[in-house]
Amino acid sequence: MEETFNEALKDKRVGLVRADSGFYTQDLLDYLEGKQLNYIMAARMYPNIKNTVWSLDNWIELTKGIELNEMIFNHTDGKSRRYIVIKKKVEDRPKAAGKLLFDDLPGYRFSCYVTNLDLPLDQVWNIYNTRADCENRIKELKEDFGLDNFCLKNFWATEASFRFIMVAYNLMSLFRHFALNHHNRATLKTLKVYCFALGAWTVNHANRKVLKIALNTKKRPWMDGLFSQINNLSPPFCFIPNA
């Protein structure tokens, strides 16, 4: 986490840190608060958290099958923090995420998040849920860029390979954003078929090197538009990706 903030994000302003329960530790929460960063983090359902959730009353119904609540909780020798709890009725929300915590409530799943944001319960939950798209990016890195298909003998060689894959992914993201006018709808497999894996050759014409691309008639206007879009660009690029 320190490397992420000190290197990758050293020139960036971070408005919010969202993290799953794998990051839920007192040290990390203290670290984020020490840097005065806002955060929403999924909490692990330790027995003491479960007991506190069980004692909650006055649930707020957000919509059919979903109720919200909050609590101030602290672990032993820990700081008191705000926790948002979501209760989902399985009968109404059979695909709802969360854990079945209580034998006495078998029809309900629970999720719990710790945050330092002073926002309404539903806003905190909605803001956290927007992180779901990052799982699609991880899936794309694995399936299209081979992120999980290599492991070199030397740790730092593996690290270097990983970072070059990230560079390749970022280049494709820039291409999608500026040439295709969207950020993540076209995967690398799609781009290969439509943009890269095309029959082509170069010729000299009027003392200039010309690229000839084999395209059917229907696809030529689309490709002309793509090159026109690129020709209108010049660095430096200002790129703000979607959340």
Side-chain angles (χ1 to χ4, degrees):
M1 183 65 74
E2 286 182 336
E3 182 182 22
T4 299
F5 282 109
N6 295 338
E7 296 187 17
L9 300 174
K10 63 181 179 180
D11 298 323
K12 306 294 183 181
R13 179 184 176 186
V14 178
L16 177 69
V17 177
R18 292 177 297 197
D20 61 27
S21 59
F23 293 87
Y24 181 66
T25 67
Q26 291 296 315
D27 289 342
L28 187 50
L29 291 172
D30 291 339
Y31 173 78
L32 296 175
E33 291 169 352
K35 294 183 72 67
Q36 298 183 327
L37 290 168
N38 295 322
Y39 62 83
I40 306 174
M41 185 181 300
R44 295 180 183 178
M45 289 297 189
Y46 293 118
N48 51 358
I49 293 182
K50 289 173 60 176
N51 292 336
T52 308
V53 170
W54 175 256
S55 65
L56 291 175
D57 52 16
N58 299 321
W59 290 83
I60 300 172
E61 184 176 2
L62 178 65
T63 186
K64 183 179 180 181
I66 296 179
E67 298 177 73
L68 307 178
N69 214 325
E70 66 177 315
M71 62 188 189
I72 302 299
F73 176 82
N74 65 285
H75 292 279
T76 303
D77 299 327
K79 178 182 176 181
S80 295
R81 294 183 171 93
R82 185 190 187 201
Y83 287 71
I84 310 299
V85 185
I86 296 89
K87 180 170 67 173
K88 307 150 194 173
K89 191 174 182 179
V90 177
E91 181 181 350
D92 297 328
R93 305 280 174 170
K95 296 183 179 180
K99 296 185 180 297
L100 297 168
L101 296 182
F102 309 109
D103 294 337
D104 294 338
L105 288 174
Y108 290 89
R109 292 183 180 274
F110 291 82
S111 299
C112 186
Y113 308 95
V114 58
T115 183
N116 59 351
L117 293 176
D118 186 20
L119 291 174
L121 306 182
D122 58 331
Q123 288 190 28
V124 173
W125 186 39
N126 288 334
I127 291 172
Y128 181 85
N129 280 340
T130 59
R131 68 173 288 278
D133 189 59
C134 72
E135 302 296 339
N136 295 326
R137 307 284 72 77
I138 295 172
K139 180 180 179 181
E140 184 180 358
L141 282 164
K142 289 181 178 180
E143 294 184 355
D144 289 358
F145 291 82
L147 187 67
D148 61 345
N149 290 330
F150 69 91
C151 183
L152 305 179
K153 183 176 181 180
N154 183 277
F155 174 85
W156 295 111
T158 305
E159 173 78 1
S161 299
F162 171 83
R163 296 200 179 202
F164 272 111
I165 288 175
M166 298 306 301
V167 170
Y169 177 83
N170 288 334
L171 288 174
M172 289 301 99
S173 294
L174 288 171
F175 177 79
R176 289 183 296 201
H177 183 79
F178 289 109
L180 304 179
N181 286 323
H182 56 77
H183 173 57
N184 54 25
R185 289 201 300 272
T187 65
L188 181 61
K189 292 178 181 178
T190 301
L191 294 177
K192 284 180 179 178
V193 173
Y194 283 90
C195 302
F196 304 140
L198 303 173
W201 66 98
T202 59
V203 298
N204 293 318
H205 178 72
N207 294 324
R208 297 179 61 188
K209 191 174 290 293
V210 178
L211 177 66
K212 299 282 188 177
I213 302 176
L215 292 172
N216 61 50
T217 304
K218 293 182 178 180
K219 195 175 179 181
R220 290 176 185 175
W222 180 85
M223 184 64 75
D224 288 338
L226 188 150
F227 277 104
S228 175
Q229 183 83 3
I230 294 175
N231 286 334
N232 292 330
L233 298 172
S234 60
F237 302 113
C238 181
F239 178 45
I240 304 176
N242 296 333

